[in-house]
Amino acid sequence: SYCSEQVLDGLSNWRLPTAEELIASADANFTNTSNSFYWTSSEMSTVASSAYMVGHGATEKSWNGKNASYHVRCVTEEEE
């Protein structure tokens, strides 16, 4: 809900990116931090308490429990 509650520069349709979106963006669109993992909107269907995350510049997704401390990067679809 963190992203969906954001209103920045008049945009209110923010969301977590999918794992595939983060992998596709590589390091061109987000910067590395000391903890280089970012949560995605891709949840695990087999373990409800877990979700996927993507490491900075990674080519594959990993998973962890939703209570783990990772970064959040919000994205929005630009209105046409």
Side-chain angles (χ1 to χ4, degrees):
S1 65
Y2 174 82
C3 289
S4 63
E5 294 172 2
Q6 299 301 308
V7 177
L8 301 169
D9 198 25
L11 297 174
S12 59
N13 56 341
W14 296 93
R15 61 178 175 78
L16 278 176
T18 65
E20 291 74 20
E21 287 173 319
L22 279 178
I23 290 168
S25 70
D27 62 352
N29 294 322
F30 65 103
T31 58
N32 194 6
T33 59
S34 58
N35 179 345
S36 62
F37 285 96
Y38 292 80
W39 283 118
T40 75
S41 62
S42 307
E43 295 184 337
M44 293 187 69
S45 58
T46 56
V47 183
S49 62
S50 296
Y52 289 102
M53 75 253 188
V54 172
H56 175 73
T59 57
E60 295 182 11
K61 60 188 177 185
S62 302
W63 64 272
N64 205 336
K66 292 179 183 178
N67 61 340
S69 261
Y70 294 119
H71 295 283
V72 174
R73 175 180 183 250
C74 301
V75 296
T76 185
E77 302 295 331
E78 291 186 30
E79 295 183 20
E80 301 190 23

